[in-house]
Amino acid sequence: MQQVLNWESVKKLQNLPFIEQVKREVNMPGGLRSERDAPDAYLTRTGVIEWTNSQRVENGLDPLQENSVLNASAQKKLEDMFQKQYFAHDAPDGTTPGDIIEIVGYEYITTGENLALGNFADDQELVQAWMDSPGHRENILKDRYQEIGVAVGKGIFDGEEVWIAVQHFGKPLTSCPGVDESLRTQIDQKTTQAESLQQELDTLKQELENSDPQTEEEAKAHNDKVDEYNTKVAQYNALVQEIKTITTDYNSQVNAFNSCANAE
């Protein structure tokens, strides 16, 4: 009879790594209020992004790419604060910046929000005010961020006409290599098949070991069962090798994703 691969080595394959549950990070320093009112205050999305990237480049970092979805989430947050008259990261109903960013369809590994309220003279003064605040500066200079969205607007807040600015930062999920989850499904299915085959082989082997053919008919039946056993052994061994190959590929993809997702 053919040799069956050691089932214990196959069982070890059952402890397959899943994609790690990435701890999605949301960085939210307290909202910044201007210390003075500029009579001709005027802010722009483009200017805020340009001055933000200028600060990053000066500090040896790559500039952030403007992202239209993050622009939309920042705009949604801006409008919500004016409508509900609050100035904070969490809305009165408990909605968080991460919730808003998800609602607009931005899948992230890490994200952050900077807020500012007041009549800053211009985009440069606003960004400099954030840079002078440790928490906001950390957001602007966070190396993990790759994209940015900004919204600025003028409206009535606490009975006064004032500007509010929102920055949303992000490292998108798509920045890391994908994992083909169909491989995981294949591994699970094929492992179940291998377990079933192993049980059949154990039963056949036991029957063959207990067999003591005395007649020509019994000998023929015994040999037929040996052939069946050998056929199943070949199927089983091929299946085990296939599981090992797919598992190696899957593990490589998972490790690449996790390494990227957790990289600083």
Side-chain angles (χ1 to χ4, degrees):
M1 295 188 297
Q2 294 187 39
Q3 179 66 38
V4 182
L5 290 179
N6 185 352
W7 179 239
E8 290 305 315
S9 68
V10 181
K11 285 185 176 180
K12 293 178 181 178
L13 297 176
Q14 295 174 349
N15 298 318
L16 300 170
F18 289 90
I19 297 178
E20 291 180 7
Q21 184 62 44
V22 178
K23 183 180 179 181
R24 293 192 300 177
E25 180 180 329
V26 182
N27 302 287
M28 303 178 296
L32 179 72
R33 294 176 182 260
S34 63
E35 297 181 355
R36 68 184 186 88
D37 279 344
D40 299 319
Y42 189 75
L43 302 175
T44 68
R45 168 184 289 144
T46 301
V48 171
I49 293 174
E50 287 179 352
W51 282 106
T52 297
N53 278 333
S54 176
Q55 292 289 347
R56 286 179 64 88
V57 171
E58 284 184 17
N59 284 272
L61 299 172
D62 291 333
L64 300 171
Q65 297 298 312
E66 183 176 359
N67 181 279
S68 61
V69 182
L70 287 178
N71 280 340
S73 65
Q75 184 65 35
K76 189 175 182 68
K77 178 58 178 285
L78 175 75
E79 294 171 357
D80 196 57
M81 286 191 291
F82 272 126
Q83 180 183 356
K84 298 176 182 175
Q85 292 292 289
Y86 72 96
F87 181 63
H89 293 293
D90 293 349
D93 63 3
T95 301
T96 69
D99 295 332
I100 292 177
I101 290 171
E102 285 184 353
I103 288 170
V104 300
Y106 187 86
E107 294 185 325
Y108 64 90
I109 292 172
T110 183
T111 188
E113 180 179 82
N114 277 353
L115 301 177
L117 183 150
N119 292 319
F120 298 89
D122 53 27
D123 304 320
Q124 182 180 11
E125 182 176 283
L126 166 62
V127 173
Q128 187 58 55
W130 272 327
M131 288 295 292
D132 292 338
S133 168
H136 299 91
R137 176 188 178 89
E138 182 179 348
N139 253 351
I140 289 174
L141 300 183
K142 184 173 284 293
D143 190 30
R144 293 185 74 190
Y145 293 146
Q146 297 176 356
E147 298 177 333
I148 186 173
V150 169
V152 296
K154 190 176 184 180
I156 303 300
F157 187 86
D158 281 348
E160 297 183 1
E161 193 173 45
V162 67
W163 286 84
I164 291 180
V166 181
Q167 283 181 316
H168 278 172
F169 306 93
K171 177 178 181 177
L173 189 64
T174 54
S175 66
C176 289
V179 175
D180 184 358
E181 278 303 306
S182 69
L183 294 179
R184 175 76 204 196
T185 302
Q186 291 179 49
I187 293 167
D188 290 340
Q189 292 174 344
K190 291 181 184 299
T191 298
T192 299
Q193 293 173 20
E195 289 175 333
S196 178
L197 268 175
Q198 176 64 41
Q199 292 174 0
E200 293 178 24
L201 286 169
D202 287 344
T203 299
L204 283 171
K205 184 178 181 181
Q206 187 66 40
E207 291 175 356
L208 288 169
E209 289 176 348
N210 294 334
S211 174
D212 184 20
Q214 300 295 322
T215 67
E216 182 177 343
E217 183 177 352
E218 289 175 346
K220 182 179 182 305
H222 177 85
N223 290 335
D224 287 344
K225 187 163 291 188
V226 169
D227 290 341
E228 180 186 0
Y229 178 85
N230 287 336
T231 298
K232 288 184 182 294
V233 167
Q235 294 173 349
Y236 172 83
N237 289 345
L239 190 57
V240 169
Q241 293 297 343
E242 192 174 357
I243 292 171
K244 288 182 177 180
T245 299
I246 298 173
T247 300
T248 298
D249 189 10
Y250 178 80
N251 288 348
S252 177
Q253 292 183 24
V254 169
N255 291 335
F257 175 86
N258 290 336
S259 177
C260 171
N262 297 311
E264 290 298 329

